[in-house]
Amino acid sequence: MDRHAQRSTENAAAFDWAHDDVFGRIASRYDLLCDLFSLGIHRLWKRRVARRIAEERWTRLLDGATGTGDIILRLVAHESTADRQIVASDVSAGMLGIAQRRLGSNADRVRLECLDAERMPSVADGSVDAYSISLALKICNRTQVLNEAFRVLAPGGRLIVLEASNIPWKPLQATYLAYMSACMPLLGWIATGGDASAYRYLLHGIREFPTAEGLAEELSAHGFVDVAFERQSLGIVAIHTARKPRTA
């Protein structure tokens, strides 16, 4: 199997940014897509996960796949983060450009870096004490992302993940997926000016992503401890938390 084919089978969305920089192309419309697909509910999820990140004890946070900065904007609004170091990263320079503009007067509180969450050789082992990633694992090789998160976290460091999940009541989950299958192509086509790849990746990622229980098992398998999750909006998404062991 060649590298491209192998990468395509290692993430839920079968997405490879190096071959299709769709999120760079739709960066200016990405927030509109989120509003349309979630009916605005994503704002509640992001507010909740930002509060959860702020409540954790850390001095240096690395936020992977920052996108247009939704989580970081909410995070810097918390007084408790005023004296902490925040590094916000994304593989898309277009996304980071929008995040930079949105930060405005808070730009000096966040260092933006163009990093691929799957491979971050410039980030030293054990150099951050918190790592967060939101709504991006579904379009990444999550094995590599979680390996990198574990590597860069200091012993005892915290992991916070907001990601697609499953509604435990199967009939409702089926209804939700049917809604997304029916609405996402039309709304995505309108919002992106006909760029079909954007909603194809996102929809595939939602369908194929593990359940909340399944992702929790993966985190444990990567060596994380104190693994827990909290479903949001009945289980459309979940906030996962875990910790890197303090000792090997």
Side-chain angles (χ1 to χ4, degrees):
M1 182 181 295
D2 66 24
R3 180 177 177 272
H4 176 52
Q6 183 179 16
R7 282 174 58 94
S8 296
T9 62
E10 289 176 342
N11 63 69
F15 173 66
D16 187 342
W17 69 267
H19 289 77
D20 186 0
D21 186 20
V22 58
F23 294 98
R25 294 197 304 273
I26 67 166
S28 63
R29 300 170 181 173
Y30 180 74
D31 295 315
L32 174 60
L33 271 175
C34 291
D35 278 330
L36 290 173
F37 291 156
S38 73
L39 302 179
I41 302 174
H42 74 103
R43 297 171 183 268
L44 300 177
W45 305 335
K46 292 171 179 175
R47 189 179 305 133
R48 171 60 178 156
V49 76
R51 184 167 66 248
R52 186 61 186 270
I53 296 169
E55 290 171 350
E56 296 287 350
R57 294 184 177 181
W58 51 270
T59 56
R60 188 165 190 258
L61 166 79
L62 173 59
D63 186 63
T66 288
T68 59
D70 264 3
I71 302 298
I72 297 303
L73 282 167
R74 289 165 170 80
L75 187 59
V76 297
H78 288 266
E79 292 183 5
S80 64
T81 66
D83 298 322
R84 307 195 213 181
Q85 298 177 31
I86 301 173
V87 179
S89 67
D90 200 280
V91 74
S92 169
M95 289 283 202
L96 286 177
I98 293 174
Q100 179 77 47
R101 292 194 295 273
R102 294 181 71 192
L103 281 166
S105 61
N106 287 312
D108 60 343
R109 294 182 53 193
V110 180
R111 189 168 87 240
L112 298 176
E113 293 192 10
C114 194
L115 297 173
D116 181 354
E118 297 177 3
R119 286 172 296 279
M120 301 183 291
S122 62
V123 182
D125 295 1
S127 59
V128 302
D129 44 17
Y131 180 96
S132 58
I133 186 167
S134 300
L135 302 175
L137 273 185
K138 74 172 78 60
I139 57 170
C140 295
N141 179 322
R142 62 181 181 274
T143 295
Q144 292 184 4
V145 171
L146 293 176
N147 283 341
E148 281 291 85
F150 193 90
R151 179 184 67 79
V152 303
L153 278 170
R158 297 291 288 176
L159 174 73
I160 307 97
V161 176
L162 170 66
E163 193 46 88
S165 186
N166 65 301
I167 301 172
W169 190 42
K170 291 183 179 180
L172 188 56
Q173 172 74 359
T175 300
Y176 166 67
L177 291 177
Y179 159 76
M180 294 299 285
S181 297
C183 295
M184 188 174 279
L186 176 60
L187 296 177
W189 186 85
I190 294 171
T192 61
D195 193 338
S197 55
Y199 56 77
R200 183 176 69 247
Y201 290 131
L202 291 170
L203 180 58
H204 194 64
I206 290 170
R207 283 175 171 168
E208 300 300 322
F209 201 76
T211 63
E213 292 83 359
L215 182 57
E217 290 177 1
E218 289 187 13
L219 294 178
S220 296
H222 275 80
F224 289 100
V225 297
D226 298 337
V227 176
F229 64 84
E230 177 186 353
R231 286 187 170 92
Q232 305 290 308
S233 301
L234 302 177
I236 294 176
V237 299
I239 298 174
H240 293 255
T241 56
R243 179 172 59 82
K244 182 174 179 177
R246 296 187 184 278
T247 58

